[in-house]
Amino acid sequence: MGRSLKAEVKVTIQGKILNPNREKRHKLNVVLEKYRKAVKFFASFKIRDKTLLQEKAYKEARMRFGLSSTLTQTARDKAVELVKENEGREFHVHRVSIRVNYRAFKLVKRDTKLTPYWLYLQLDGEGAWYPVQFGKRQEEMIEDALVEDEWSLQQVELVKRGGEWYAYFTLEKPFKGYKPQTAIGIDLGKRNLATVVALVNDKPVKGTFFRSSKIKEVRHKYFNIRKKLQEKRRLDVVRRLRGKERRIVNHELHVISKKIVEYAKQFPSPVIVMERLTGIRENFERGKKLNRRFHSLPFRKLQSMIEYKAKLEDINVIYINPKNTSRTCHRCGHVTRADRREYRCPKCGMIYNRDLNASINIARALTRGTGRGSVNGPKGR
């Protein structure tokens, strides 16, 4: 692998806006309503190019919605993203958040009892300060961004959820500039949530499996509990249980993703290679019970956590086309269907673990240029 990869690392840090007063909350709500209308207006043109959409609709959007130039531009960008993601299908903007770029916000640290972190937002004619609270890990990242020159704050997404407001900060820093030497292929599946292998001199070494059994057990347990509670109409308890279930699953995903990144760090100049997950769920039909268990596996969430932790270690992540990665013999390249836990090649006679075979093909899609892929991660948060 002789080519250099993406020039910067981007990560997102979540903070909670603490109890804004009535005036500030009203301002956020008014801007959110205008912003969503602007995004819907821009999206109605179904234009996928920002420059062309700017020429067609920017002036009218400014007049219609009364947003600042900065917010009007980010609404335009959001609309382009939605049009591209939905590929002509209808979509709703009720989940759209307010994107504010670096020109209209700043985050500073103050010596206050409520919180040391204060966010200044220029949403309309007058700016306002909002207190923000971070978790321990997020606080460490924000400290690095505020104190060191390595990280820079690029934008903040203002998200309204359950009546509360949250701020998602995008931090950016340059990669250290190494050229990748070791491809780390990761296959995701229903039995082994993740199968990981490194290619050293084009040979697979240290294949490692991370089972999905614990997550499936948790999902199954809480599914049965919720079913009984719903029959008794105890919806309040059902909501609390969902939060508990989510925390247990997220903890397991954090453990697995951390171990995967630690695995990658063993090798010189690693680059992690994963499949774009488009269609993975649609291709699995094995009966109602098995379908439910498979669809409960949080593949995209795991990919996002792996990517996030990898970027913090200056390890790049590439997504490749998933076509035939599980059906191709990594030894001879023959393509056949793999119905069992073992991959059996009818051409060269190789018998190999099915998931390990797929992870080797995923890694080789990068090293051999058979699926150059992109650095774009899973869609959605």
Side-chain angles (χ1 to χ4, degrees):
M1 286 182 287
R3 61 193 183 108
S4 296
L5 296 175
K6 198 177 181 184
E8 72 278 343
V9 185
K10 288 185 178 180
V11 297
T12 302
I13 304 295
Q14 176 187 317
K16 182 178 181 181
I17 297 177
L18 294 174
N19 303 321
N21 60 34
R22 182 178 298 180
E23 181 181 349
K24 292 179 180 179
R25 189 179 294 273
H26 176 71
K27 178 182 289 189
L28 287 171
N29 289 331
V30 168
V31 172
L32 178 60
E33 184 178 358
K34 290 181 179 179
Y35 193 84
R36 286 175 172 171
K37 288 180 179 178
V39 172
K40 186 176 181 178
F41 169 73
F42 277 121
S44 67
F45 289 82
K46 297 181 179 180
I47 294 176
R48 300 162 64 95
D49 181 81
K50 293 179 184 178
T51 303
L52 180 58
L53 186 57
Q54 176 84 2
E55 295 173 357
K56 290 279 187 180
Y58 177 79
K59 288 184 179 179
E60 186 175 349
R62 283 296 308 273
M63 293 176 60
R64 275 198 188 193
F65 308 108
L67 293 171
S68 67
S69 60
T70 298
L71 291 184
T72 304
Q73 288 170 6
T74 62
R76 173 206 64 195
D77 296 347
K78 286 244 180 186
V80 170
E81 292 167 11
L82 285 170
V83 170
K84 288 181 178 179
E85 288 174 8
N86 289 276
E87 298 178 347
R89 299 186 300 272
E90 289 190 13
F91 55 86
H92 302 284
V93 296
H94 65 280
R95 292 187 179 179
V96 165
S97 54
I98 304 169
R99 178 178 297 168
V100 186
N101 66 25
Y102 65 92
R103 291 177 294 178
F105 84 92
K106 61 182 176 181
L107 184 69
V108 301
K109 194 172 181 181
R110 292 176 172 175
D111 185 16
T112 58
K113 291 183 179 180
L114 180 62
T115 176
Y117 303 100
W118 289 80
L119 172 64
Y120 178 80
L121 294 170
Q122 186 77 42
L123 298 178
D124 49 22
E126 296 182 1
W129 289 93
Y130 296 83
V132 181
Q133 184 180 56
F134 296 100
K136 184 177 180 181
R137 178 57 179 160
Q138 289 77 14
E139 188 173 319
E140 291 174 359
M141 286 293 299
I142 289 295
E143 284 290 329
D144 289 343
L146 294 178
V147 175
E148 299 179 11
D149 294 332
E150 190 176 32
W151 288 98
S152 62
L153 287 168
Q154 293 297 309
Q155 67 182 31
V156 59
E157 295 270 352
L158 304 175
V159 179
K160 186 179 182 181
R161 188 168 64 244
E164 302 287 347
W165 283 89
Y166 299 85
Y168 289 83
F169 296 89
T170 299
L171 278 67
E172 184 178 301
K173 74 171 182 177
F175 267 117
K176 293 181 179 177
Y178 69 81
K179 291 184 178 180
Q181 297 179 30
T182 311
I184 311 294
I186 301 177
D187 177 63
L188 305 180
K190 64 183 178 69
R191 185 169 186 174
N192 295 307
L193 185 63
T195 302
V196 187
V197 68
L199 286 189
V200 177
N201 297 323
D202 203 41
K203 293 182 179 180
V205 297
K206 293 186 179 181
T208 305
F209 302 91
F210 297 91
R211 299 296 295 270
S212 62
S213 55
K214 184 172 180 179
I215 290 176
K216 285 193 286 190
E217 286 171 7
V218 171
R219 294 290 202 204
H220 182 63
K221 172 185 173 182
Y222 281 92
F223 171 82
N224 289 329
I225 294 174
R226 283 197 303 272
K227 187 176 179 181
K228 292 178 181 178
L229 289 169
Q230 286 168 347
E231 291 172 356
K232 297 177 181 179
R233 300 175 183 251
R234 293 299 309 275
L235 299 182
D236 56 331
V237 182
V238 170
R239 284 191 291 269
R240 290 200 299 270
L241 283 175
R242 281 204 179 101
K244 185 175 181 180
E245 177 188 359
R246 184 169 57 250
R247 287 190 293 273
I248 294 172
V249 171
N250 283 346
H251 174 74
E252 182 68 11
L253 294 176
H254 277 296
V255 171
I256 292 173
S257 57
K258 182 178 179 180
K259 287 181 178 178
I260 288 174
V261 173
E262 289 296 324
Y263 170 94
K265 287 169 61 179
Q266 301 176 77
F267 301 97
S269 302
V271 55
I272 290 175
V273 189
M274 294 188 286
E275 295 176 314
R276 290 191 295 272
L277 292 181
T278 306
I280 185 173
R281 299 186 187 280
E282 290 78 1
N283 294 332
F284 184 84
E285 292 295 336
R286 297 288 178 84
K288 186 176 180 180
K289 185 176 180 180
L290 284 176
N291 277 348
R292 174 173 56 77
R293 291 195 178 186
F294 180 80
H295 287 266
S296 70
L297 292 174
F299 297 116
R300 294 187 190 278
K301 184 84 171 180
L302 178 60
Q303 281 193 335
S304 296
M305 288 186 179
I306 292 170
E307 181 175 356
Y308 174 81
K309 290 177 172 61
K311 285 182 174 181
L312 293 180
E313 300 291 341
D314 285 295
I315 298 173
N316 211 338
V317 176
I318 299 293
Y319 292 86
I320 58 102
N321 189 326
K323 185 177 181 181
N324 289 334
T325 52
S326 62
R327 298 182 180 185
T328 302
C329 173
H330 78 265
R331 178 189 288 173
C332 71
H334 181 72
V335 178
T336 189
R337 188 173 182 84
D339 292 324
R340 303 176 183 177
R341 293 309 310 158
E342 289 182 329
Y343 180 92
R344 296 173 179 267
C345 179
K347 184 175 180 180
C348 71
M350 184 194 76
I351 301 175
Y352 215 78
N353 178 277
R354 175 180 175 173
D355 298 335
L356 194 56
N357 178 69
S359 63
I360 294 169
N361 286 326
I362 290 168
R364 283 187 175 157
L366 180 69
T367 60
R368 292 184 175 176
T370 57
R372 289 288 184 186
S374 71
V375 292
N376 297 321
K379 295 179 182 178
R381 193 188 318 267

